[in-house]
Amino acid sequence: MEGTIVKIISNLYSVKTVDGIHECRARGKFRNDDITPLAGDRVIIDPVNNYILEIKNRRNELKRPMVANIDACLIVSSLKRPTFSPFLLDKMITNVLLEDIEPIVVLSKYDLLTDTEQEEIKELISYYNKIGIKMILNTDTNTLDKYIDGKVLVLTGQTGVGKSTLLNKLDGSLNLATDDISDALGRGKHTTRHVEFFEYKNALIADTPGFSALDIEEDKKENIRYTFPEFNNDGCKFRDCKHLKEVGCAVIEDVNNGKILPSRYESYRRMVDDENYSFISEK
Ligand code: ZN
């Protein structure tokens, strides 16, 4: 019988199958083969003795959090309290794309913005959607349902941005503690193996501190430019151009003629080159 590991507590694996949850143990052979079952793993189980017999090949595997077979990452970002940071958001998007996972950005606390700020955010949303990055307000649950249907997802974002509120909104029965409470309980100290997927309609979602704290590994920095779909990487006349200062660079041209959002280019510069780079102040 086939299923998905949705929760791991020490050596006990909760496997969701068509006939419900089976609490399974892993056979010793996995330890010998140096394979650790992960949350998200597709597995074959012996439903009578409740043993995991086989782990299917993984589509992907994350280190932090330790999960497998993730289709998409829900990035929840607050527009106020804490203040919206395009840089942190772009960094999370880049981290997710570097793992070959689809980012879905959900913006919270839109109602706390002034009219002018709301207009700016609407423009921002249409820019991201235009370049192919899914971005919606957390109140748009119909679209969210469509985006996550049938997928295995992780939910991430800074603390205090309303992740648990979002999960609760998705399914009132989850009744999760607020971010603040779980932080007070020291959730941050939990091991990365402590992952649990919640079932929501046809999707599996894990709430995890994961990506937000991640710094981009040095050997992956070369690939950051490919996580910006609006960059004309191949059209740049300089081979292997980093799009930083080169005169005649196609990307810099697109920034100057308004095709690329200044905050996006600023995020790029800060990720690859200079943490303190500011597009605005250089003008
Ligand atoms: Zn260039």
Side-chain angles (χ1 to χ4, degrees):
M1 179 177 274
E2 197 171 323
T4 304
I5 298 177
V6 292
K7 184 165 117 185
I8 303 177
I9 294 177
S10 56
N11 290 320
L12 205 59
Y13 302 88
S14 305
V15 179
K16 180 179 139 36
T17 69
V18 280
D19 71 357
I21 301 284
H22 288 259
E23 304 292 350
C24 295
R25 297 193 178 273
R27 292 210 311 204
K29 79 166 189 139
F30 295 120
R31 219 166 302 148
N32 300 336
D33 293 349
D34 212 20
I35 299 173
T36 314
L38 298 177
D41 264 333
R42 296 288 298 166
V43 292
I44 306 290
I45 63 162
D46 168 351
V48 179
N49 300 305
N50 286 327
Y51 268 104
I52 295 175
L53 302 173
E54 188 190 329
I55 301 172
K56 298 272 196 178
N57 284 338
R58 290 168 184 155
R59 191 167 52 245
N60 56 37
E61 182 183 332
L62 302 182
K63 299 245 159 19
R64 276 190 67 188
M66 280 178 74
V67 285
N69 300 323
I70 301 302
D71 296 308
C73 179
L74 282 178
I75 300 172
V76 187
S77 187
S78 167
L79 294 168
K80 204 130 207 183
R81 282 188 262 150
T83 313
F84 179 60
S85 160
F87 173 61
L88 282 181
L89 175 64
D90 287 333
K91 200 170 163 190
M92 282 192 269
I93 291 172
T94 286
N95 266 319
V96 170
L97 286 172
L98 284 173
E99 298 288 350
D100 262 328
I101 293 171
E102 177 194 25
I104 300 170
V105 181
V106 182
L107 301 173
S108 66
K109 304 185 188 175
Y110 179 76
D111 54 320
L112 298 183
L113 299 178
T114 63
D115 288 353
T116 324
E117 289 168 334
Q118 288 190 345
E119 283 308 312
E120 284 168 11
I121 291 302
K122 274 186 200 158
E123 276 174 34
L124 196 83
I125 292 173
S126 87
Y127 177 86
Y128 280 85
N129 284 323
K130 198 181 70 202
I131 62 168
I133 291 172
K134 294 189 170 106
M135 183 183 281
I136 53 168
L137 297 178
N138 65 337
T139 44
D140 188 3
T141 45
N142 283 341
T143 308
L144 184 63
D145 284 359
K146 237 184 294 166
Y147 285 170
I148 68 178
D149 184 47
K151 291 179 179 163
V152 179
L153 308 108
V154 289
L155 178 69
T156 197
Q158 292 168 278
T159 53
V161 301
K163 281 187 296 165
S164 302
T165 316
L166 176 72
L167 266 187
N168 278 330
K169 205 175 274 176
L170 290 176
D171 185 350
S173 64
L174 290 176
N175 231 341
L176 296 176
T178 68
D179 288 15
D180 294 337
I181 292 170
S182 53
D183 279 346
L185 292 173
R187 185 185 60 170
K189 295 189 193 94
H190 284 178
T191 64
T192 45
R193 262 173 72 75
H194 207 102
V195 177
E196 180 171 357
F197 283 96
F198 296 95
E199 219 178 327
Y200 169 71
K201 293 188 182 170
N202 205 16
L204 290 172
I205 307 175
D207 185 4
T208 147
F211 287 107
S212 55
L214 225 61
D215 270 324
I216 295 163
E217 292 162 37
E218 208 52 46
D219 62 331
K220 284 189 174 161
K221 286 199 169 174
E222 274 294 297
N223 294 327
I224 291 177
R225 61 194 141 156
Y226 299 110
T227 67
F228 285 73
E230 69 268 55
F231 281 13
N232 187 2
N233 284 300
D234 298 328
C236 198
K237 64 182 172 189
F238 305 107
R239 246 185 108 232
D240 269 343
C241 184
K242 288 198 171 62
H243 318 309
L244 296 178
K245 323 178 157 73
E246 296 83 351
V247 177
C249 157
V251 170
I252 294 176
E253 261 169 33
D254 282 347
V255 178
N256 289 329
N257 67 26
K259 277 193 201 156
I260 293 172
L261 198 69
S263 68
R264 288 281 288 168
Y265 185 65
E266 179 170 323
S267 294
Y268 171 74
R269 286 287 300 252
R270 287 177 67 178
M271 277 186 251
V272 294
D273 184 41
D274 178 6
E275 186 69 24
N276 299 311
Y277 176 80
S278 166
F279 179 84
I280 315 299
S281 67
E282 204 176 59
K283 280 201 134 182

